[in-house]
């Protein structure tokens, strides 16, 4: 009969005919134990239904084998879907390395982000993958409170110099505009969200640099910036096209804005690409079934997530190593919308 509630490490040692120290070495892999002895200990643990305390092991080793992943979750499904692809890539790699993942979200404010980082600290995680929001992140430099390595994903954070894994948003945006210009478009409108984060700022910079490099004066009247939501995409598209009928192409810096913009374009019966060329950012399934299918800038979300986990594992093994930025190229996926 199993004795799960009464079993202790001492009882396991007695049943296996070894010392309690040997049982501890088998559980924690802290010293070589012969395979024969190891098998006896494992058989005794199984017979007694003995499970070692994860908390006790963590206190002894100063490691919990738990990694935190923290991302701002917004109310829009498409936005969250991209973040979940990042998280899934990271989790795949961490699982292979024997780590459990604690995934959490915050409401896209710096104050809530700080509270969630503190809650992770209290849980004694071994490391954190963070997708930061806007604002000053110098609080992450406080080694008295942040006693675990942090790897930033998707974007950089103001005030914090840490390892970062992200897509080359600048190059992705610039390449999209360059292709539109090569096709003869001279008035290219740009609609993007108003988050003050590096991903958005890099996409704006890529748009402007491509225009300038072609010898065309950047016209800020062709740029519309607003909140990240469906209705904004609709309204900014209407406002932009009505303010300048000479626009022949639109570049959307975000997926949800693209959806809202397409609604207005369909309402007005504007033909794509005959009357208006369209390029979006991020590749979601719905963009492949529109008529015509949309051309987009694709980010390798799963690969970015996986790399962020690999970088964090390296930081855990070598805490004193320097910080690096790891860039992934984007891909312009040409379909039928230009």
């Amino acid at each position: 009969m199993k004795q799960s509630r009464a079993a202790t490490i001492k009882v396991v040692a007695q049943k296996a005919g070894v010392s309690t120290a040997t049982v501890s070495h088998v559980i924690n892999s802290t010293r070589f134990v012969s395979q024969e002895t190891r098998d006896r200990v494992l058989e005794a643990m199984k017979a007694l239904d003995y499970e070692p305390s994860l908390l006790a092991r963590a206190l002894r080793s100063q490691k919990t084998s738990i990694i935190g992943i923290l991302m701002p979750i917004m109310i829009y499904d498409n936005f969250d879907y991209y973040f979940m692809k990042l998280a899934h890539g990271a989790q795949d790699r961490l699982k292979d390395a024997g780590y459990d993942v604690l995934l959490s979200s915050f409401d896209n404010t710096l104050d809530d982000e700080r509270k969630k980082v503190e809650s992770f600290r209290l849980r004694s995680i071994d490391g954190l993958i963070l997708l930061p929001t806007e604002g000053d992140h110098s609080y992450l430099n406080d080694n008295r409170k942040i006693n675990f390595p942090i790897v930033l994903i998707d974007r950089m954070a103001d005030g914090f110099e840490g390892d970062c894994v992200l897509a080359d948003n600048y190059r992705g945006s610039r390449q999209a505009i360059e292709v539109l210009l090569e096709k003869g478009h001279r008035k290219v409108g740009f609609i993007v969200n108003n988050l003050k984060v590096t991903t958005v700022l890099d996409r704006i910079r890529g748009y402007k640099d491509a225009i300038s490099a072609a010898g065309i004066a950047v016209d800020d009247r062709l740029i519309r910036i607003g909140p990240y939501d469906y209705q904004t995409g609709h309204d900014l598209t209407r406002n932009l096209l009505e303010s300048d009928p000479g626009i022949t192409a639109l570049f959307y810096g975000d997926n949800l804005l693209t959806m809202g913009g397409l609604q207005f374009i369909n309402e007005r019966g504007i033909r794509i690409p005959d009357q208006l060329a369209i390029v979006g950012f991020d590749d979601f399934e719905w963009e492949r079934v529109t008529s015509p299918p949309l051309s987009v800038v694709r980010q390798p979300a799963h690969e970015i997530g996986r790399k962020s986990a690999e970088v964090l594992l390296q930081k855990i093994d070598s805490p004193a190593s320097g910080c690096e930025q790891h860039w992934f190229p984007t891909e312009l996926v040409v379909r039928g919308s230009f």
Side-chain angles (χ1 to χ4, degrees):
M1 178 182 297
K2 292 184 178 181
Q3 308 172 49
S4 59
R5 297 188 181 276
T8 64
I9 192 171
K10 184 176 181 179
V11 174
V12 171
Q14 291 172 345
K15 186 172 182 62
V18 299
S19 67
T20 55
T22 298
V23 176
S24 177
H25 291 318
V26 171
I27 293 172
N28 297 294
S29 299
T30 48
R31 186 176 297 176
F32 173 77
V33 178
S34 69
Q35 190 61 49
E36 179 184 356
T37 302
R38 182 181 180 82
D39 289 343
R40 288 209 314 273
V41 172
L42 293 176
E43 288 175 4
M45 290 172 61
K46 183 177 181 180
L48 295 167
D49 198 21
Y50 174 78
E51 295 183 357
S53 168
L54 293 177
L55 177 60
R57 289 173 65 183
L59 291 173
R60 286 193 297 271
S61 67
Q62 299 299 305
K63 291 185 65 176
T64 61
S65 295
I66 297 175
I67 298 296
I69 299 178
L70 181 59
M71 298 180 171
I73 300 300
M74 302 177 74
I75 63 174
Y76 311 111
D77 292 340
N78 284 313
F79 199 85
D80 294 350
Y81 178 70
Y82 170 72
F83 285 0
M84 289 304 99
K85 288 177 72 175
L86 294 173
H88 189 267
Q91 182 172 279
D92 278 355
R93 180 64 184 91
L94 294 170
K95 182 179 179 181
D96 291 343
Y99 283 85
D100 290 324
V101 173
L102 189 59
L103 176 62
S104 186
S105 64
F106 60 99
D107 63 8
N108 209 33
T109 65
L110 187 60
D111 183 60
D112 197 39
E113 177 193 291
R114 293 185 64 157
K115 291 177 182 177
K116 291 299 176 69
V117 171
E118 173 65 10
S119 72
F120 274 127
R121 185 185 72 83
L122 296 175
R123 292 172 183 265
S124 300
I125 60 174
D126 292 340
L128 176 65
I129 296 173
L130 171 65
L131 200 160
T133 188
E134 301 175 344
D136 181 9
H137 283 74
S138 56
Y139 78 94
L140 296 175
N141 298 315
D142 188 348
N143 294 328
R144 296 169 301 174
K145 293 183 177 181
I146 310 298
N147 56 356
F148 46 80
I150 296 175
V151 171
L152 303 178
I153 189 171
D154 183 69
R155 58 183 67 153
M156 301 178 202
D158 290 341
F160 176 68
E161 295 294 332
D163 288 270
C164 188
V165 183
L166 64 169
D168 191 346
N169 290 275
Y170 169 80
R171 184 61 208 152
S173 176
R174 180 163 180 164
Q175 183 184 20
I177 302 306
E178 287 173 343
V179 172
L180 288 172
L181 295 174
E182 289 171 2
K183 288 182 172 291
H185 298 284
R186 287 297 175 265
K187 280 197 172 183
V188 181
F190 183 33
I191 297 175
V192 68
N193 77 56
N194 59 0
L195 291 176
K196 295 179 179 62
V197 293
T198 55
T199 49
V200 175
L201 298 177
D202 284 349
R203 292 173 194 179
I204 294 174
R205 188 164 56 90
Y207 166 85
K208 290 186 174 182
D209 285 357
I211 298 290
S212 295
I216 303 172
V218 174
D219 186 350
D220 288 335
R221 292 173 298 180
L222 299 180
I223 302 173
R224 293 292 185 275
I225 300 174
Y228 184 85
D229 60 55
Y230 185 95
Q231 189 61 42
T232 296
H234 176 282
D235 294 346
L236 291 184
T237 301
R238 181 194 63 205
N239 177 272
L240 186 54
L241 294 180
E242 289 181 350
S243 67
D244 192 335
I247 293 173
T248 60
L250 285 181
F251 177 49
Y252 289 92
D254 294 287
N255 186 264
L256 196 59
L257 297 179
T258 309
M259 295 177 67
L262 286 179
Q263 180 186 356
F264 172 77
I265 291 168
N266 290 332
E267 289 172 356
R268 289 297 175 92
I270 300 171
R271 298 189 307 278
I272 303 172
D274 297 338
Q275 294 176 289
L276 187 67
I278 301 290
V279 182
F281 214 105
D282 283 329
D283 191 17
F284 292 85
E285 282 77 5
W286 70 266
E287 290 161 320
R288 306 172 196 178
V289 297
T290 58
S291 182
L294 289 184
S295 299
V296 296
V297 178
R298 176 187 292 160
Q299 300 185 83
H302 189 274
E303 291 82 356
I304 291 173
R306 188 173 181 86
K307 180 64 176 180
S308 71
E310 291 176 355
V311 173
L312 184 59
L313 293 173
Q314 292 170 4
K315 298 296 290 187
I316 292 172
D317 291 339
S318 303
S321 60
C323 298
E324 294 183 61
Q325 295 176 4
H326 305 266
W327 297 86
F328 278 77
T330 57
E331 177 189 1
L332 180 62
V333 182
V334 178
R335 297 192 178 111
S337 61
F338 69 69

